Amino acid sequence: MEDSLLNNQLSNSNRIKIHNILAREYSFVNPIKSIENAEMALELSNKMNDLTGVANAYRILGSVYAQNDNYYQGMEFFLSALDIFEDNGDSLGIGNVYTSMGHYYSRLGLIEQQIFYHKKSLEIFRNLGNQARIGIATHNLSETYLVFGKYEECEKLAFESVEINKRVKNRSVLSSCYNVLGRLQVELGNEQLAKEYFYKVLTISEQLGENSQKLATVGALINLANVEESNQNYEAMLNYLLKAIEFSGVSLLSEELADILLKLTSYYVDTGQLDSAKSYGKKYQELLQKKRAKQAEDRYKLISSVEAAHNLQKERDQLEESNLLKESKLQLAYISIILISVIILILIWTLLLNIRKNKILAKQQKTIESQKLRLESLNFTKDKFFGIVAHDIKAPLNNMKALSDLMLSHIDRLEKKEIREMAQMTSNSLKSTIKMADNLISWARLQMGDVAVDQSLVDVGNNLADIVTLFKDIAAKKQIEMLSSFESDLKIIVDPNQLEFIIRNLLNNAVKFTRAHGMIKISGQQENNKVIITVADNGIGMPDEIKENVFKLESKHSMKGTDGEKGTGLGLMLCQEFITLNNGVLTIESKEDQGTVITLTFDAA
């Protein structure tokens, strides 16, 4: 599993799972490595906002701290994990935490609490129908009942666990079940039956090799030694104890190894073999010293890791707070521009009033200044919007009113031709004003975040065919030649309505700013992994001043077309915002009196 982490292609989700599994496995033999892997799982989980990964890491950290007698910190981690699993409705996670808490109370010697949590975990796993976890939970509870002296309940659950673990082929837990049954038979005085169960443990251990259940194996060897000792078969007893010493040393089971060394020391003292007693007594003392030194080192490292775990939790809290803030901002974006201007005035007035009245807010001066700049920016945007409305829409409306008043007051004296000309002028002005209004509404919706992007797979040539045909007719009325050329099978992921809006605006501008007998060309081709759409004309182009500020609202300029057509100057700004929403890029090349080339670039689908 550690080697698999070296794979650069491994997803972060799988890395989180592997680090948590490694943390759990190391918790039995190396608490520091367990902590390191749990912290890696926590760090990645926080970055990905993977709450299940966070909770599993907390559960393992709780187990490690409890195993090293740091019970308060261990319980803190268990409760944090439990909160997350309960919030997510994750029954499996809740059951696993209850299992860990059962072991936690076992270390404290609190049998009733141990039984309570093992029962709760078993109930959850039964409801889920998770056979593997039921097999483990029944074993845990049967072992607890054995310690508590409830032999009938112990035997019933142990047999159930044996059957389940046989079915799911979990031989490691199966060996632990046989060890419990062997210990139960010892308590009941059935030594021969007990030995048969212990032999089954050793057989499974030999079959599994490195993957065997180490505690069950050593436990079986020690229990066999105890049975032989009770029958005064000391040679067999010594044989089992020596095997247990060898196995405990290889498997790093210091607690069990210390018990065996102490037992051998006592035996040799009782039998008068003082040299052997001194030898094993010395080994026992050396093991205790090593154990104390290792515990001191491990506990120091465990304590130092608490700060790291706390900081990771703090980062996760900040991330959640940031996400809540973003959601709030998105909701506020739906307020109209007029309402924003009112809120701006209220906020500024409130902030200024509070600053004068409350000295405490002096500490927040930097935050207030930042908010003030943001509000001024919004206020400027609002003012600019109303300026456009006042100038670019009010002016043509006044012109139409003047024309209509003129026709009404002189209707009897005007010739039919003059009336038609005035009506045509009014119609043209109305069309231009409607176009301005459409652009202004679209721009306002964009500023309020009220424009949804509904992307799909689009064939560029087919999607734009009708628009190109329409503008060829419009260009022809102005004696402009329009050419189109699209490679076949050009496909991109884009909102088709927004793509059509962009192309309509670009072609409309090209016709507007190209003289009679000029030429417009729209083309599409694929280069490497990019689809490039180009709209080029040989019209009047743009001065450098306008080109450099064409996307800036504060520097907005509009140019008249070759036939005096008017605009708001918002068309290209809208194109730029729509193409950004669709992950594209818009670039402009233009020189005065030499024409304009506008290029749209998208990722090919």
Side-chain angles (χ1 to χ4, degrees):
M1 298 195 89
E2 287 179 335
D3 288 343
S4 69
L5 292 171
L6 300 176
N7 182 1
N8 293 329
Q9 303 301 318
L10 191 67
S11 69
N12 281 336
S13 294
N14 284 330
R15 287 184 186 277
I16 291 168
K17 292 177 182 176
I18 290 172
H19 277 301
N20 271 330
I21 292 171
L22 286 170
R24 185 191 66 206
E25 297 302 320
Y26 270 127
S27 68
F28 299 108
V29 292
N30 190 327
I32 300 307
K33 281 197 172 184
S34 177
I35 288 285
E36 290 171 355
N37 278 281
E39 287 178 347
M40 283 300 299
L42 266 180
E43 183 177 348
L44 288 171
S45 297
N46 278 332
K47 288 180 180 178
M48 296 187 65
N49 199 26
D50 181 351
L51 295 180
T52 299
V54 170
N56 281 323
Y58 280 163
R59 182 174 69 87
I60 296 162
L61 285 169
S63 296
V64 174
Y65 279 93
Q67 288 167 15
N68 287 270
D69 300 332
N70 194 335
Y71 296 107
Y72 175 80
Q73 190 64 44
M75 182 55 74
E76 284 287 316
F77 280 123
F78 286 145
L79 295 177
S80 295
L82 195 58
D83 285 343
I84 294 173
F85 285 133
E86 287 177 343
D87 288 343
N88 291 344
D90 186 343
S91 297
L92 181 62
I94 294 170
N96 288 333
V97 175
Y98 285 158
T99 298
S100 298
M101 292 177 73
H103 294 316
Y104 171 90
Y105 284 110
S106 173
R107 295 186 63 85
L108 291 173
L110 301 173
I111 301 297
E112 290 185 1
Q113 289 89 335
Q114 183 182 351
I115 291 175
F116 174 78
Y117 282 105
H118 282 318
K119 273 187 173 181
K120 290 188 73 172
S121 67
L122 178 57
E123 180 183 353
I124 289 173
F125 297 142
R126 287 197 194 280
N127 290 335
L128 292 173
N130 189 322
Q131 291 298 302
R133 297 306 297 169
I134 292 172
I136 292 171
T138 49
H139 163 66
N140 290 335
L141 193 52
S142 70
E143 189 170 33
T144 303
Y145 280 140
L146 175 62
V147 176
F148 200 47
K150 293 190 174 185
Y151 297 141
E152 289 185 11
E153 292 91 336
C154 168
E155 186 174 46
K156 180 181 177 181
L157 287 169
F159 280 133
E160 181 183 357
S161 186
V162 165
E163 293 305 314
I164 293 173
N165 284 294
K166 282 181 178 178
R167 285 201 303 272
V168 301
K169 298 180 180 179
N170 190 342
R171 291 189 292 169
S172 176
V173 177
L174 181 61
S175 68
S176 294
C177 295
Y178 286 137
N179 193 41
V180 169
L181 284 169
R183 290 163 56 195
L184 174 63
Q185 295 306 319
V186 169
E187 294 293 332
L188 296 175
N190 302 321
E191 292 185 347
Q192 185 56 41
L193 184 55
K195 289 170 68 174
E196 291 177 11
Y197 283 124
F198 294 140
Y199 292 151
K200 288 184 178 183
V201 175
L202 298 181
T203 299
I204 294 174
S205 177
E206 185 176 350
Q207 292 170 347
L208 293 178
E210 288 297 318
N211 296 322
S212 64
Q213 222 297 346
K214 308 300 188 299
L215 289 173
T217 304
V218 173
L221 289 168
I222 293 174
N223 283 314
L224 281 167
N226 290 336
V227 171
E228 297 298 347
E229 182 183 19
S230 68
N231 293 322
Q232 299 183 353
N233 189 350
Y234 298 114
E235 183 177 353
M237 177 196 78
L238 291 174
N239 182 48
Y240 285 126
L241 289 178
L242 291 174
K243 284 183 179 179
I245 286 177
E246 181 181 0
F247 195 87
S248 298
V250 171
S251 302
L252 304 176
L253 302 175
S254 60
E255 292 283 354
E256 288 69 21
L257 183 56
D259 291 342
I260 298 165
L261 291 174
L262 189 59
K263 187 175 183 66
L264 282 169
T265 302
S266 298
Y267 168 75
Y268 285 121
V269 169
D270 292 341
T271 57
Q273 301 178 59
L274 298 183
D275 289 341
S276 295
K278 288 180 181 179
S279 174
Y280 283 108
K282 183 179 180 182
K283 289 179 181 179
Y284 174 73
Q285 292 298 327
E286 289 173 351
L287 180 64
L288 286 183
Q289 290 177 359
K290 289 180 180 178
K291 182 181 175 183
R292 291 192 190 102
K294 187 69 169 61
Q295 283 180 336
E297 179 184 356
D298 287 354
R299 286 173 182 171
Y300 171 75
K301 291 179 179 178
L302 288 170
I303 291 169
S304 66
S305 73
V306 172
E307 182 179 358
H310 171 77
N311 289 335
L312 286 171
Q313 175 64 29
K314 186 177 179 181
E315 287 179 16
R316 190 167 71 84
D317 292 343
Q318 290 174 343
L319 180 62
E320 290 176 355
E321 184 179 347
S322 176
N323 288 336
L324 290 173
L325 183 61
K326 288 178 182 178
E327 290 177 5
S328 298
K329 288 182 178 179
L330 287 173
Q331 293 173 354
L332 288 174
Y334 288 99
I335 301 175
S336 68
I337 292 177
I338 295 175
L339 184 58
I340 289 176
S341 65
V342 174
I343 292 172
I344 290 170
L345 293 173
I346 294 172
L347 285 175
I348 293 175
W349 177 81
T350 302
L351 289 172
L352 292 174
L353 183 62
N354 286 341
I355 289 172
R356 286 194 298 268
K357 291 183 176 181
N358 198 340
K359 292 182 180 180
I360 297 175
L361 289 180
K363 296 179 181 179
Q364 301 175 350
Q365 187 64 38
K366 187 175 289 187
T367 302
I368 294 170
E369 289 299 323
S370 175
Q371 291 176 339
K372 183 179 178 181
L373 289 174
R374 174 61 179 158
L375 295 175
E376 287 176 351
S377 174
L378 289 173
N379 198 37
F380 171 79
T381 300
K382 179 264 299 179
D383 289 343
K384 192 66 178 178
F385 174 76
F386 287 131
I388 294 169
V389 173
H391 181 269
D392 291 345
I393 290 184
K394 185 177 179 180
L397 289 175
N398 286 334
N399 289 339
M400 285 187 282
K401 183 178 184 302
L403 283 170
S404 62
D405 288 345
L406 181 62
M407 284 191 289
L408 286 172
S409 60
H410 298 85
I411 190 71
D412 296 330
R413 288 178 286 174
L414 291 174
E415 296 181 2
K416 187 175 182 180
K417 179 181 178 181
E418 291 174 321
I419 293 173
R420 183 181 293 107
E421 289 176 353
M422 288 185 180
Q424 184 63 50
M425 290 170 64
T426 303
S427 176
N428 291 341
S429 182
L430 184 59
K431 288 179 183 177
S432 175
T433 304
I434 290 171
K435 177 68 176 177
M436 290 180 196
D438 283 342
N439 280 348
L440 283 168
I441 291 168
S442 297
W443 177 82
R445 290 181 64 201
L446 275 170
Q447 304 312 303
M448 293 188 292
D450 193 31
V451 177
V453 181
D454 186 11
Q455 294 181 333
S456 60
L457 183 65
V458 170
D459 185 308
V460 175
N462 291 339
N463 186 265
L464 300 182
D466 291 343
I467 296 174
V468 172
T469 300
L470 172 65
F471 275 93
K472 279 185 178 180
D473 294 339
I474 295 172
K477 292 178 182 178
K478 200 173 175 181
Q479 295 182 315
I480 297 171
E481 182 180 7
M482 181 179 290
L483 303 176
S484 64
S485 173
F486 289 93
E487 291 181 1
S488 61
D489 202 30
L490 285 179
K491 293 183 178 178
I492 57 178
I493 303 295
V494 71
D495 186 315
N497 293 324
Q498 293 177 3
L499 176 64
E500 291 173 9
F501 176 91
I502 294 167
I503 298 302
R504 281 199 304 270
N505 266 273
L506 297 183
L507 289 177
N508 185 68
N509 283 349
V511 172
K512 183 189 299 184
F513 298 116
T514 300
R515 301 182 183 91
H517 309 295
M519 178 179 290
I520 299 169
K521 183 174 181 181
I522 178 170
S523 60
Q525 59 275 338
Q526 183 166 337
E527 296 181 7
N528 298 325
N529 294 322
K530 301 292 183 181
V531 170
I532 299 172
I533 303 172
T534 304
V535 178
D537 66 64
N538 60 356
I540 62 177
M542 284 185 277
D544 290 341
E545 179 186 356
I546 291 180
K547 183 177 69 174
E548 291 171 2
N549 296 288
V550 71
F551 298 129
K552 298 178 181 178
L553 180 65
E554 62 271 21
S555 303
K556 184 190 75 62
H557 295 282
S558 62
M559 294 173 55
K560 288 187 177 182
T562 55
D563 285 350
E565 302 98 325
K566 293 183 179 180
T568 64
L570 285 173
L572 280 175
M573 289 177 60
L574 286 167
C575 290
Q576 169 72 358
E577 297 213 32
F578 277 135
I579 199 168
T580 300
L581 287 173
N582 287 276
N583 305 313
V585 177
L586 183 151
T587 57
I588 299 177
E589 295 180 14
S590 184
K591 290 187 177 180
E592 197 167 6
D593 294 324
Q594 295 184 30
T596 300
V597 177
I598 296 182
T599 303
L600 311 178
T601 304
F602 298 92
D603 290 330

